[in-house]
Amino acid sequence: MDLTQLSTLASQAKNRSIKSLFSIPVQTELSFTESSRAQQFSLSSAGLYLDYSKQNINEDELTALLTLAEQKQLSAKIAAMFSGQHINNTEDRAVLHTVLRASDETRKKILGKQADEVIQTEEHMEKIVDDVRSGHLLSASGKRYTDVLAIGIGGSYYGIKVALSALHPFHCTGIRVHVIANVDGGAIQEKLSKLDVDTTLVVVISKTFSTQETLLNAQAIKSWMLTSPSDGAANNTIMAKQWFAVSTNIIKATAFGIDEKNILPMWDWVGGRFSLWSAVGLPLALAIGNENFSRLKAGAREMDEHFQVADFRQNMPVLLALIGIWNRNALEYSSLAILPYDHALRALPGYLQQTDMESNGKSVSNNGEKLPWSTAPVVFGQEGTNGQHAFMQLMHQSVDIIPTDFILALNGSSKYLEHHKVLVANCFAQSEALMQGKTLAQAKEELQLAGYSANEIDKLALHKEMKGNTPSNTILMETLTPKTLGSLLALYEHKIFVQGVIWQLNSFDQWGVELGKVMGNEVLAVMDGQSSEDLSCSTLNLIKRFQEQSTIVK
Ligand code: F6P
């Protein structure tokens, strides 16, 4: 079976209501009952519970997808990734973020001598955290650090951001950690207004140390921090004590002024969007402490182990991926909503937007051929219940069906227990409402019961109809902890990898972002007075307006 045949395979599903699947008896290990779909289409692993019974899929269709996964040699591809084969073929690199959270024994087996570097980097990172916490590491003026400012963008930012907010209750070091990504002077100004030069430690995170936004931000923060008028010796001390970097590019980082002993390495086998587990996680560890950072990795490791050994029918990342393939290629839905019902997970939709869309938003196979099928969906989302009062209107009543992942911790982290109960109720209710919808007949009956006249019912009923039949997953955890967060992030990492295998593309490069970077420089040159034959008159006109009206030019 091929991906192009999935749409035909789904002809029955396209005209089927998800609700009807609940009335079909299904076989479970427990018994042969009508209500067992919830058991058969759910599983637990690594502290997470996945319910996918509200998907528009039956056992036969799932079996066909599992066969497809076998045909695409998924088992061999998983083994290839974990063993360090160069599966990122367009860049000729291994993909080994999993080794960063593996046992030392596994690290040595996969990396050989390089395992020592990984272990030493981890120890270095832990020492920095301990020394900052204990006051052993002080600022240039001899003060204890109160704040850490991390500068990075894309994969050198999203992971830290999502984990910093998700693990807020676990911030235990007394150090406030801030992240700056966008090249926006307003954002820098706002951040710096809250910081004190004498008590702020800076970490520049850039795998390449050549990303325009990061370098410009680092430069601005350097100017803010260094003495004016310039005192060379004092500035050298500030750089040596207060500036750290995480990068593969030691030469550029030292040229920027960061002391070599303060540069923690990265390796070309860790992709930016999978790099939280490396020294990129230093700012996070400075907030949550070394023990919690280890727990985060332990959660991810548990998911890695499950992913490698579980039978595909009981394999959480594989099932999540196959369901996504079913929705994208068989039912032809083009988006995916990520709705964490948890304020702490508010950054998760943005994080997954990058991991999913930058990994699989491609249309060429790893053999360099045009792909005849659709790939990554448009990922968007927001914390619930806020989304209910915004875009969920469209999800209930537009013609587009938007598959959704609901994510929820059964226990909240606050003392407001009633709030959490209401939040949970809303989460469960939304998945039910999206699936059940409301028929025209039900809408009419409701209006009739409410005392509306026949004329009014005719006018209003269609407005009250809800299309329903929107598929969703619900991912539950007992509590959001470093460990369950680690499992959750690894779950999505592996889901994305599996989808890349099925779609036959390389999930680990990102050539698509290059053109914008190149053109950005070209536009900048034109803004500075150079001519260009490549830019359209639309863009040239916009530049002209900037030149006429911006105070920067005048
Ligand atoms: O968004 C493109 C990208 O290359 C990402 O893949 C990467 O995470 C980000 O830019 C930042 O790159 P760097 O860590 O090299 O500064």
Side-chain angles (χ1 to χ4, degrees), residues 153-156 205-209 211 214 272-273 354 358 510 513 517:
I153 199 163
S156 297
I205 303 168
S206 177
K207 190 173 165 183
T208 55
F209 218 90
T211 303
T214 302
R273 51 193 177 273
Q354 196 222 11
E358 195 167 85
Q510 57 283 319
V513 295
K517 288 185 190 173

